[in-house]
Amino acid sequence: SSTPPAPPEVHPGFLYGRVTTLTGATYEGRLRWGGDQEAFWGDYFNGQKKENPWAALVPPGRLPKTRGTVSFFGLEFAEPEREADLTRLFMARMGDIARVQAQGKDVLVTLKSGTVFALDRLEASDFDDGLRVWDEKKGVVDLDSSLVRSVELLPAGPTSGAPARLHGTVRTKAGAFTGFLQWGRTRCVGTDELAASDGKGIRFDAIRSIARRAEGGLLVTRADGGEVEVAGTGDREQGTYVDDPRYGRVLVSTVAFERLDLGPADSGPGYGDFPPGRPLAGAVTTRDGRRLEGRIVFDLDESETTETLDAPAEGVDYTIPFGLVASIEPQAGALGGAGPVQVALRGGEELRFEPKGDLGKRNAGLLVFAAGSDRPVYVAWGEVARIDFEGSEAPSQPGAKQ
């Protein structure tokens, strides 16, 4: 008698969910956004928030101002000062999301905490990419976003033929980062290929290491010990994501990259390894000595522990969930300008960031809600001496299970 087929396995690190279309049809199984993009719970769903409700709580006249320049016949002239654009992007790890729904011109994203964000559907880029579903009964189905009513994210169920994830250590001048990774921001499984300038791809599950050559290009060492020199790859220019449990996610730039060593790993943290977020809270010390305690809204935007602090250091862009952040301390720069920003993490790491991104001059300031008050105190970013966040469940940050 013939041997029965092996039952489907459970790969908890892969996205899994139930998709309902506008016609009422449902598909359930492993998911990948855009067909070849976000595939894991640590990947980010991106979009643009439709409005900023926090801006209305800033006292009149204290909203951040900006001034641009215009060029006329080679000369630059300052534009009139105006209020800064407080429209903010939305980023959340897939593992922090309960469901995504299309509703007219909006995309509603509900987090596990119950918080709902309304995104501009015309700007909700990841939703627009559509979905691929590996339905165990209906096969592989590609769904255009215009047909999708809702996506309910669920703990992974049985799936067939899931590829191996990429895991390894990326070495840079700033140090080494270890975790699940995405070469070129999208190459994340063993069956994906390293794109070479000569058009010949090399499957990642056939690669042991990739090193930058001093004279340019890359030296690829295969799993069988053979070496291949690669003149260059287009996807390399996008940088490499590493989900290092100490930091959340980092993007290592081409300039900072020195070497990648690949190694075996399982499918990674599952949906249940991402606990619901909770409101940011702590104490803000101002430069004039005030100490304000309560709920915190950072940059008139981030208000939950699952939202992220985004800033660069030594050619590496960090995307750190606030649940991992213990304190933020801006430093004075030369001539009183903005200097580096010291960030302490709950795991004990100390990072020194450039005054850019969320820690730069475009930071719109903080709101601090004292206990029992629905009217916050506004603190401009330039007035902040230190922020200490309350403790969280951060030490159980999902990581590789070796």
Side-chain angles (χ1 to χ4, degrees), residues 11 14 163-168 178-181 262-269 399-402:
H11 302 272
F14 284 79
R165 290 190 68 175
L166 298 185
H167 186 277
T178 299
F180 293 99
L181 56 94
L262 292 165
D266 63 14
S267 68
K401 300 175 183 177
Q402 298 299 317

Side-chain angles (χ1 to χ4, degrees), residues 278-301:
R278 58 186 185 77
L280 278 182
V284 177
T285 304
T286 66
R287 296 197 179 278
D288 62 5
R290 290 180 297 161
R291 181 177 172 85
L292 308 168
E293 297 186 35
R295 184 182 179 186
I296 295 173
V297 178
F298 184 85
D299 189 21
L300 294 187
D301 182 26

Side-chain angles (χ1 to χ4, degrees), residues 298-328:
F298 184 85
D299 189 21
L300 294 187
D301 182 26
E302 290 86 9
S303 60
E304 297 205 8
T305 54
T306 54
E307 297 189 80
T308 59
L309 175 68
D310 308 307
E314 299 185 81
V316 178
D317 289 328
Y318 291 74
T319 302
I320 307 175
F322 271 95
L324 292 177
V325 179
S327 65
I328 299 174

Side-chain angles (χ1 to χ4, degrees), residues 58 179 210 224 353 364:
V58 178
I210 303 172
D224 60 12
F353 287 110

Side-chain angles (χ1 to χ4, degrees), residues 40-276:
F40 308 106
W41 298 114
D43 290 342
Y44 280 82
F45 184 92
N46 299 284
Q48 181 168 292
K49 296 176 182 178
K50 190 171 183 181
E51 58 184 22
N52 188 337
W54 305 113
L57 299 177
V58 178
R62 296 214 63 196
L63 281 172
K65 302 290 196 300
T66 186
R67 186 193 301 272
T69 59
V70 294
S71 296
F72 188 72
F73 290 110
L75 300 176
E76 289 195 348
F77 300 90
E79 292 182 321
E81 193 174 59
R82 62 182 184 277
E83 289 186 353
D85 181 8
L86 296 179
T87 303
R88 291 293 187 262
L89 298 178
F90 173 84
M91 288 179 58
R93 295 174 299 185
M94 295 291 182
D96 296 322
I97 297 173
R99 70 188 61 86
V100 181
Q101 301 163 276
Q103 189 176 91
K105 297 181 179 180
D106 298 343
V107 173
L108 303 182
V109 180
T110 303
L111 302 184
K112 284 179 175 177
S113 65
T115 302
V116 180
F117 290 92
L119 310 183
D120 186 336
R121 185 164 185 172
L122 299 178
E123 301 290 344
S125 55
D126 280 343
F127 184 83
D128 290 341
D129 292 336
L131 274 169
R132 176 170 293 170
V133 188
W134 282 263
D135 188 295
E136 287 296 316
K137 296 180 180 179
K138 302 172 184 177
V140 181
V141 181
D142 287 305
L143 297 171
D144 187 270
S145 64
S146 63
L147 304 176
V148 174
R149 173 180 293 162
S150 65
V151 181
E152 183 179 2
L153 297 173
L154 305 167
T159 55
S160 300
R165 290 190 68 175
L166 298 185
H167 186 277
T169 298
V170 176
R171 305 185 190 282
T172 75
K173 295 182 177 64
F177 303 93
T178 299
F180 293 99
L181 56 94
Q182 298 180 13
W183 180 271
R185 307 194 193 192
T186 58
R187 310 293 194 270
C188 55
V189 294
T191 53
D192 288 340
E193 294 186 343
L194 173 70
S197 54
D198 60 5
K200 296 180 180 179
I202 306 172
R203 277 177 50 141
F204 276 95
D205 54 14
I207 296 174
R208 180 189 302 169
S209 66
I210 303 172
R212 182 170 67 177
R213 300 171 70 238
E215 57 271 33
L218 302 170
L219 179 64
V220 178
T221 302
R222 294 179 179 273
D224 60 12
E227 296 183 338
V228 180
E229 293 184 3
V230 177
T233 64
D235 53 21
R236 175 178 175 246
E237 301 304 318
Q238 302 298 316
T240 300
Y241 283 131
V242 186
D243 290 343
D244 189 314
R246 295 173 296 171
Y247 311 117
R249 171 168 287 189
V250 300
L251 175 62
V252 178
S253 67
T254 302
V255 174
F257 175 85
E258 293 184 343
R259 180 183 176 90
L260 163 63
D261 291 287
L262 292 165
D266 63 14
S267 68
Y271 188 53
D273 292 321
F274 294 79

